[in-house]
Amino acid sequence: FHHGDMADFNLNRTYDVIVSLFSAIGYVKTVTRLKQTIQILAQHLVPGGVILIEPWFTPDVFKVGTPHATIVNQPDLKIARMNVSKAEDNVSILDFHYLVATAQGVEYFTEHHELGMFTREEFAFAFQQADLKMIYDEQGVDGRGLYIGRKGN
């Protein structure tokens, strides 16, 4: 494992496949950093190698002002995660509020996340700039789509 910035790293080796799931690409936040990230990932591919990127929501799909809740209701564990979706420009803002109840008591904590929302055209341009042939799978892993880039031989 390596801890670093996905828009600026060098592992000094190449791979057959690079996978970015769970909308992690959204954390690059800006189109400029999206292009940098795709370029860096492409540099880590062998000729003929493949990149799989599961995107975050696009700006036209993300719904601002929507309340969300996820509940875990097990006999010895109760968890509630709630938030109301927000956005500034093309960055979604998620302030998660958690309540976690166990036999030891109830804890409350929060998490703040900011994820860039990119259009298909912005992804296509980033793949093109990195000299990757891109196809888009509409369904993907969980309905958000999947970008597949292949490096030429």
Side-chain angles (χ1 to χ4, degrees):
F1 290 97
H2 299 274
H3 182 261
D5 182 346
M6 73 172 89
D8 183 23
F9 70 95
N10 185 351
L11 300 179
N12 294 312
R13 62 179 291 197
T14 55
Y15 300 88
D16 295 323
V17 178
I18 297 173
V19 179
S20 176
L21 298 177
F22 309 112
S23 305
I25 196 71
Y27 287 100
V28 301
K29 287 175 58 172
T30 68
V31 173
T32 298
R33 286 180 48 80
L34 175 66
K35 292 177 197 173
Q36 291 171 333
T37 301
I38 302 297
Q39 183 67 45
I40 289 291
L41 294 175
Q43 290 172 10
H44 284 83
L45 278 181
V46 298
V50 176
I51 295 174
L52 305 171
I53 298 177
E54 180 186 34
W56 179 236
F57 292 104
T58 57
D60 60 320
V61 172
F62 187 78
K63 303 286 187 244
V64 174
T66 304
H68 301 272
T70 302
I71 308 295
V72 172
N73 188 10
Q74 299 294 320
D76 297 327
L77 175 66
K78 311 294 185 203
I79 302 173
R81 182 187 84 177
M82 303 179 97
N83 75 295
V84 176
S85 54
K86 298 183 248 178
E88 291 180 16
D89 299 317
N90 281 337
V91 176
S92 59
I93 300 167
L94 307 171
D95 288 312
F96 292 120
H97 297 263
Y98 293 88
L99 284 172
V100 180
T102 64
Q104 289 73 38
V106 177
E107 293 182 63
Y108 168 77
F109 62 96
T110 62
E111 287 181 337
H112 178 79
H113 297 266
E114 295 184 5
L115 290 93
M117 298 180 284
F118 307 112
T119 66
R120 280 198 204 169
E121 294 77 21
E122 289 165 336
F123 268 105
F125 186 69
F127 275 80
Q128 179 185 10
Q129 292 294 108
D131 204 23
L132 296 171
K133 180 178 174 17
M134 185 198 89
I135 59 173
Y136 178 71
D137 174 0
E138 187 87 28
Q139 178 60 35
V141 178
D142 69 356
R144 290 191 192 140
L146 185 68
Y147 292 96
I148 304 163
R150 184 170 181 274
K151 188 172 187 173
N153 291 328

